Amino acid sequence: MTNLSIQEISSQLESDNLRDRMVALANLRHVSNEEAVPLIKKVLDDESLQLRSMAVFALGVKPTEECYSILVKILESDPDYGIRADAAGALGYLGDIRAFEPLSRAFYEDTDWLVRFSAAVSLGNIKDPRAHDVLIQALNSEEVVIQQAAIAALGEIKDIESVDHILRFVQSEDWLVRQRLAEALGNLPSAKTISALKYLEKDNHSHVCEAARISLKRLEQAS
């Protein structure tokens, strides 16, 4: 695929053909953030949810000063839960700690599990220790994927105080939960962490064993 010029991208984003608009949006990866964002904004209200989703994601990877406020507005007000979830995810890519409050609100107030999942993941990505309370609450979710996201995020924010809370998942029936636990513990040095990882190293799922081995090695090197 040849790279399009700014003028060609701008023109193609107005095409009646969805494929043309998607190709144009994909071409923005070769364009500077400052030039890309005004073009991304052209399709934020597109009739195609798939294109809107791509555009929201693009705001997270092409950050300029205005991306944060645009994404917060989408997270708080878009009628489509998938687009709200995309906005939560894109805020995590921005890595802006101002996102702590809108992401926390989304976790507590949004009725859709996918949005709450994305908010939990992004709270880990922005690495703000204030996320402790939200993520501990997320551990009690009925949705297993939200439990997985919360465990991973607590590891990302290096929340040592969470160790007792997450160790209850050491015998979870879901191997992905156990894998996330093994990965997170690699960022959470404590006496209980080491014994839990040695237990997980003998897990009956190879991915969990491997994650536990890697985390034990990381903790050994860090000490």
Side-chain angles (χ1 to χ4, degrees):
M1 187 171 73
T2 54
N3 299 346
L4 303 177
S5 70
I6 293 285
Q7 289 73 23
E8 288 171 320
I9 293 172
S10 181
S11 167
Q12 215 166 305
L13 285 170
E14 292 168 11
S15 168
D16 291 335
N17 184 308
L18 174 58
R19 188 181 176 282
D20 286 347
R21 301 198 301 278
M22 292 181 80
V23 168
L25 193 62
N27 261 276
L28 288 175
R29 74 166 74 89
H30 307 294
V31 172
S32 74
N33 296 7
E34 286 66 27
E35 290 177 306
V37 169
L39 297 173
I40 295 167
K41 286 162 67 178
K42 290 175 79 161
V43 290
L44 281 174
D45 295 314
D46 196 88
E47 63 192 29
S48 162
L49 275 178
Q50 188 181 359
L51 189 68
R52 292 187 65 211
S53 176
M54 283 174 65
V56 170
F57 173 78
L59 289 175
V61 294
K62 288 284 186 184
T64 66
E65 192 50 49
E66 64 179 328
C67 289
Y68 171 78
S69 56
I70 295 170
L71 288 169
V72 169
K73 185 179 177 189
I74 294 169
L75 173 62
E76 293 178 343
S77 62
D78 199 277
D80 187 89
Y81 72 87
I83 299 295
R84 295 197 305 278
D86 290 332
L91 282 167
Y93 280 108
L94 288 184
D96 187 327
I97 61 167
R98 288 179 298 171
F100 166 71
E101 284 169 2
L103 288 170
S104 298
R105 270 198 307 278
F107 181 82
Y108 285 126
E109 297 170 11
D110 204 286
T111 54
D112 194 275
W113 72 266
L114 185 61
V115 181
R116 299 173 78 232
F117 166 77
S118 281
V121 171
S122 285
L123 284 167
N125 289 340
I126 63 172
K127 296 181 169 52
D128 189 324
R130 291 176 296 168
H132 170 88
D133 290 349
V134 186
L135 296 172
I136 295 299
Q137 181 161 330
L139 293 175
N140 299 321
S141 171
E142 292 175 8
E143 299 287 347
V144 174
V145 289
I146 292 180
Q147 294 174 352
Q148 291 171 12
I151 292 167
L154 286 162
E156 291 279 355
I157 66 172
K158 297 182 166 52
D159 189 338
I160 301 285
E161 288 176 24
S162 73
V163 170
D164 284 343
H165 296 277
I166 63 175
L167 284 183
R168 73 177 199 257
F169 293 97
V170 78
Q171 292 181 318
S172 168
E173 291 176 10
D174 189 297
W175 70 266
L176 260 174
V177 170
R178 302 195 307 276
Q179 183 182 343
R180 293 289 171 268
L181 175 61
E183 290 163 352
L185 290 172
N187 290 324
L188 304 170
S190 78
K192 287 181 180 177
T193 297
I194 301 297
S195 55
L197 284 170
K198 287 183 174 168
Y199 177 82
L200 289 166
E201 207 177 10
K202 300 181 182 75
D203 196 270
N204 59 14
H205 198 289
S206 60
H207 288 13
V208 180
C209 302
E210 182 62 16
R213 272 197 294 274
I214 291 167
S215 285
L216 279 166
K217 199 169 186 179
R218 180 187 297 161
L219 290 170
E220 199 179 297
Q221 289 167 346
S223 63

